[in-house]
């Protein structure tokens, strides 16, 4: 079910809003379709993805759901998530860390898909397991059927939309024009981050680039698996390419999420704001085309992805890992300030996963 939620404006913008005993009643009165399924459930599982980023409407609504579950005494697992309290992680907005920490302290099981988020949770005093994105668990089942002769370069866009990045995509398209395929996804309702704007820009500068609009997960994955190289500023595209053994050249996004691939052997993402990005992107693409495909560390990726579901089999306390990422000092200080003490004992009971 998809719910149309109204803009929050000033609501749910401070830590106190999420601990207010009246929160549940207000949500039930205004958004009953959100609360009714929580009341009926035994346990809540939230797929965080990249939603918990900053304090925009979407993370605040997700945190309101989690806070409501806590008030109802429902154990909650937050899995497959990145935790980026600031829109740009600099440590300059301690109040945003306090909002995230207020709710995360009530999570029964937390699995972070990248080391940066995991370290932030540790600094806020929140136990968390180190995991990875869930997409490889699905992609690996299609990997054999998507194998094909590799040819050309697949280009995807980025969440970021600034002229310098478009210029870099244009530079790569001009340099490798006959070999470039621009991969587009199906348009998403109410989302402005479609890569159609990249296609429009390339057409506006006279570049007739082949485009593929993936209409299914299988066609999307097949396009990535058929390339010699994928050039991308998108986390899931670059990750799926790694799973099917396609080398990647990445450009950093609006959060450090692409660093999760670097931890697992992928090259470090390029800086999208570097004045020499055009030359760097072309050079990295040439080098990757000429090199042997690096190991994709698939066993490690799948092991970490499966850790999102450890709470189904064993007590949550067994899945708290020490951090292995050194945060910048300002971020460490901001996250530590938000540490509000010992987490709730609202633990998920041990279960046996059914086949």
């Amino acid at each position: 079910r998809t719910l149309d939620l109204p803009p929050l404006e000033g609501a749910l913008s401070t830590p106190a809003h999420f601990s207010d005993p009246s929160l549940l009643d207000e949500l039930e009165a205004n958004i009953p379709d959100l609360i009714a399924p929580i009341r009926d459930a035994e346990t809540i599982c939230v797929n965080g993805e990249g939603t918990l980023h900053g304090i925009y409407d979407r993370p605040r609504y997700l945190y309101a759901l989690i806070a409501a579950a806590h008030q109802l005494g429902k154990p909650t697992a937050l899995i497959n998530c990145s935790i980026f309290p600031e829109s740009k992680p600099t440590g300059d907005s301690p109040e945003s860390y306090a909002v995230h920490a207020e709710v995360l302290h009530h999570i029964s099981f937390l699995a972070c898909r990248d080391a940066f988020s995991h370290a932030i949770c540790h600094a806020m005093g929140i136990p968390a397991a180190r995991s990875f994105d869930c997409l490889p668990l699905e992609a690996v089942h299609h990997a054999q059927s998507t194998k094909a002769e590799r040819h050309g370069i697949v280009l995807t866009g980025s969440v970021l939309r600034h002229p310098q990045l478009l210029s870099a995509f244009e530079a790569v398209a001009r340099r490798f024009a006959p070999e470039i395929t621009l991969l587009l996804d199906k348009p998403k309702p109410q989302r402005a981050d479609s890569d159609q704007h990249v296609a429009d820009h390339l057409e506006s500068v006279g570049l007739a680039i082949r485009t593929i609009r993936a209409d299914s997960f299988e066609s999307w994955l097949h396009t990535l698996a058929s390339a010699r190289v994928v050039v991308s500023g998108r986390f899931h595209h670059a990750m799926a390419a790694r799973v099917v053994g396609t080398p990647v050249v990445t450009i950093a996004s609006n959060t450090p999420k692409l660093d999760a691939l670097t931890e697992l052997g992928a090259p470090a993402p390029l800086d999208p704001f570097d004045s020499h990005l055009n030359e760097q992107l072309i050079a990295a693409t040439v080098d990757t085309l000429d090199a042997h495909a690096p190991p994709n560390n698939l066993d490690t990726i799948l092991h970490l992805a499966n850790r999102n579901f450890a709470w189904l089999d064993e007590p949550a306390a067994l899945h708290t890992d020490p951090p292995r990422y050194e945060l910048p000092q300002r971020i460490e200080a901001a996250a530590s300030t938000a540490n509000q003490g010992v987490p709730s004992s609202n633990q998920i009971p041990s279960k046996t996963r059914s086949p």
Side-chain angles (χ1 to χ4, degrees):
R1 178 190 297 183
T2 301
L3 300 180
D4 291 324
L5 301 175
L8 283 172
E9 298 178 349
L12 299 175
S13 57
T14 71
H17 287 151
F18 293 95
S19 59
D20 190 330
S22 67
L23 172 66
L24 181 61
D25 291 339
E26 290 181 13
L27 289 173
E28 199 150 36
N30 292 289
I31 319 173
D33 288 343
L34 181 66
I35 301 304
I38 299 176
R39 283 194 178 277
D40 294 340
E42 177 185 349
T43 300
I44 311 300
C45 180
V46 178
N47 178 34
E49 298 274 352
T51 301
L52 301 175
H53 162 212
I55 47 175
Y56 305 111
D57 277 13
R58 282 190 292 166
R60 284 188 286 159
Y61 265 122
L62 205 54
Y63 277 153
L65 182 154
I66 293 170
H70 174 67
Q71 290 191 10
L72 287 168
K74 307 289 185 175
T76 303
L78 174 57
I79 67 169
N80 187 32
C81 70
S82 291
I83 307 292
F84 301 131
E86 296 185 78
S87 55
K88 295 180 181 178
T90 60
D92 294 330
S93 303
E95 65 278 3
S96 63
Y97 289 85
V99 168
H100 285 253
E102 170 62 37
V103 181
L104 291 175
H105 271 96
H106 300 306
I107 293 291
S108 308
F109 174 80
L110 173 60
C112 295
R113 68 181 184 177
D114 65 275
F116 188 96
S117 300
H118 184 255
I120 282 180
C121 288
H122 184 267
M124 292 193 296
I126 299 164
R130 177 70 176 88
S131 67
F132 193 64
D133 196 272
C134 291
L135 185 144
L137 299 174
E138 177 69 13
V140 73
H141 292 299
H142 299 273
Q144 292 298 322
S145 61
T146 57
K147 284 188 176 179
E149 182 180 349
R150 296 187 182 276
H151 54 84
I153 299 166
V154 167
L155 175 67
T156 81
S158 169
V159 173
L160 297 176
R161 288 171 163 240
H162 61 83
Q164 191 168 327
L165 193 53
L166 280 178
S167 174
F169 290 144
E170 177 186 336
V172 169
R174 287 190 185 280
R175 172 64 175 78
F176 303 101
E179 300 182 76
I180 290 284
T181 296
L182 179 63
L183 176 59
L184 303 175
D185 297 339
K186 288 196 299 184
K188 298 178 182 179
Q190 302 176 341
R191 293 291 295 274
D193 60 0
S194 167
D195 291 337
Q196 182 61 48
H197 73 286
V198 180
D200 295 341
H201 174 77
L202 296 180
E203 183 179 357
S204 73
V205 296
L207 289 170
I209 298 300
R210 177 174 179 251
T211 61
I212 291 179
R213 188 174 292 281
D215 58 3
S216 68
F217 180 77
E218 291 77 13
S219 65
W220 178 79
L221 195 64
H222 178 79
T223 302
L224 298 171
S226 301
R228 292 175 62 200
V229 174
V230 169
V231 178
S232 181
R234 291 196 174 274
F235 176 62
H236 286 106
H237 293 68
M239 178 204 338
R242 290 279 295 167
V243 170
V244 295
T246 304
V248 296
V249 176
T250 60
I251 306 148
S253 188
N254 58 330
T255 63
K257 52 182 170 272
L258 280 159
D259 289 349
L261 300 180
T262 307
E263 300 168 53
L264 299 172
L270 301 174
D271 181 354
F273 300 102
D274 193 296
S275 59
H276 300 290
L277 178 61
N278 292 18
E279 296 86 349
Q280 292 172 354
L281 192 57
I282 289 172
T285 304
V286 170
D287 290 346
T288 306
L289 285 168
D290 291 341
H292 294 292
N296 62 1
N297 297 319
L298 186 57
D299 287 346
T300 300
I301 288 173
L302 295 176
H303 169 72
L304 288 172
N306 272 307
R307 296 204 77 204
N308 287 294
F309 307 101
W311 58 276
L312 290 169
D313 297 321
E314 301 174 16
L318 297 180
H319 298 282
T320 298
D321 304 314
R324 297 180 180 176
Y325 187 97
E326 185 174 350
L327 292 170
Q329 187 173 359
R330 288 193 300 172
I331 297 175
E332 176 81 30
S336 298
T337 300
N339 185 345
Q340 298 179 13
V342 180
S344 164
S345 59
N346 188 24
Q347 293 295 310
I348 294 175
S350 178
K351 296 185 179 184
T352 300
R353 187 184 307 169
S354 59

